[in-house]
Amino acid sequence: MLFRATVLTLYPEMFPGHLGVSLAGKALERGQWSIEAVQIRDFAEDKHRTVDDTPAGGGAGMVLKPDVLARAIDHASANDGRPRLLMSPRGRPLTQARVRELAAGPGVVVVCGRFEGVDQRVIDTRNLEEVSIGDYILSGGEPAALVLLDAVVRVLPGVMGNELSGVHESFEGGILEHPHYTRPQVFEGHEIPAVLTSGNHGAIAKWRESEARRLTAERRPDLLERDPKNGNRFSEKSRADQNLERDPAQPVKK
């Protein structure tokens, strides 16, 4: 099944952007996914192609008009089962679990907000799922859409050369990833931890798990309290069960 992304934007020239190079770009060339950038302004009906207006109730900035944006959404996704996403700092935080869900589907329709925001009525009537990529403000939804699509495309089947590359990394198991090392053996007086060159796969897996938990406890202790599959807090038993399932031993580079 081809993963199809449609992006509604005032700046279609921003796409595919960095998704046109490296793994995503090669997958795009191979036809493993597709992207279409749709100009929202094309759905304005006045001679000035107006897409925004002043906010009701007053205040700074402009708001994307619901009629124009609704026509663009209907054009892009009529009789279409793909999720409709709106990149917004008000949205639910994007998680690796949601990325996996999106990658397993037929694609996405992504609306890139601009100005002060999008009229709430088009969010409600077109069932837009608001998605946030972090607690900060961007100049528009386009960079956020590129981040979301990057996360999704890289886990599509066949995009990464080694499928395990998408499994053994931060957030996939609910915690941060362990540190990595490679040759030379000694770099500016610092050696690779001896366990990683021991050839003992069991000891290596144990070390990686321990380091991953140490880093997570230091930097993202909140992750240790949540189930990445549903965002709920772990019971002691479910946390212990997950520990046993996570991070099987990997081949060791020598």
Side-chain angles (χ1 to χ4, degrees), residues 95-113:
T95 64
Q96 192 63 19
R98 185 60 179 137
V99 165
R100 289 280 182 184
E101 290 176 355
L102 294 172
V108 290
V109 176
V110 185
V111 177
C112 300

Side-chain angles (χ1 to χ4, degrees), residues 124-138:
D124 296 337
T125 60
R126 295 306 187 270
N127 297 315
L128 300 183
E129 173 187 342
E130 296 184 75
V131 178
S132 170
I133 62 164
D135 295 341
Y136 44 84
I137 303 300
L138 300 170

Side-chain angles (χ1 to χ4, degrees), residues 168-245:
H168 298 284
E169 55 191 4
S170 294
F171 307 115
E172 286 288 355
I175 60 177
L176 302 181
E177 192 177 15
H178 54 76
H180 291 280
Y181 298 88
T182 188
R183 289 170 288 196
Q185 178 70 26
V186 180
F187 170 69
E188 295 186 350
H190 299 273
E191 294 192 28
I192 295 175
V195 65
L196 296 180
T197 55
S198 68
N200 184 334
H201 293 184
I204 292 170
K206 186 176 180 180
W207 181 89
R208 286 174 169 168
E209 177 72 14
S210 174
E211 286 295 296
R213 293 195 171 283
R214 179 184 62 79
L215 288 174
T216 305
E218 290 176 359
R219 301 174 184 180
R220 293 292 305 276
D222 57 300
L223 293 176
L224 297 173
E225 304 300 324
R226 292 189 283 116
D227 184 338
K229 296 178 182 177
N230 53 33
N232 296 333
R233 292 175 67 88
F234 281 120
S235 66
E236 288 298 324
K237 182 178 184 306
S238 62
R239 182 78 259 176
D241 290 344
Q242 192 202 39
N243 292 346
L244 294 175
E245 294 172 359

Side-chain angles (χ1 to χ4, degrees), residues 27 75 88 139-140 192:
H75 168 82
S88 166
S139 56
I192 295 175

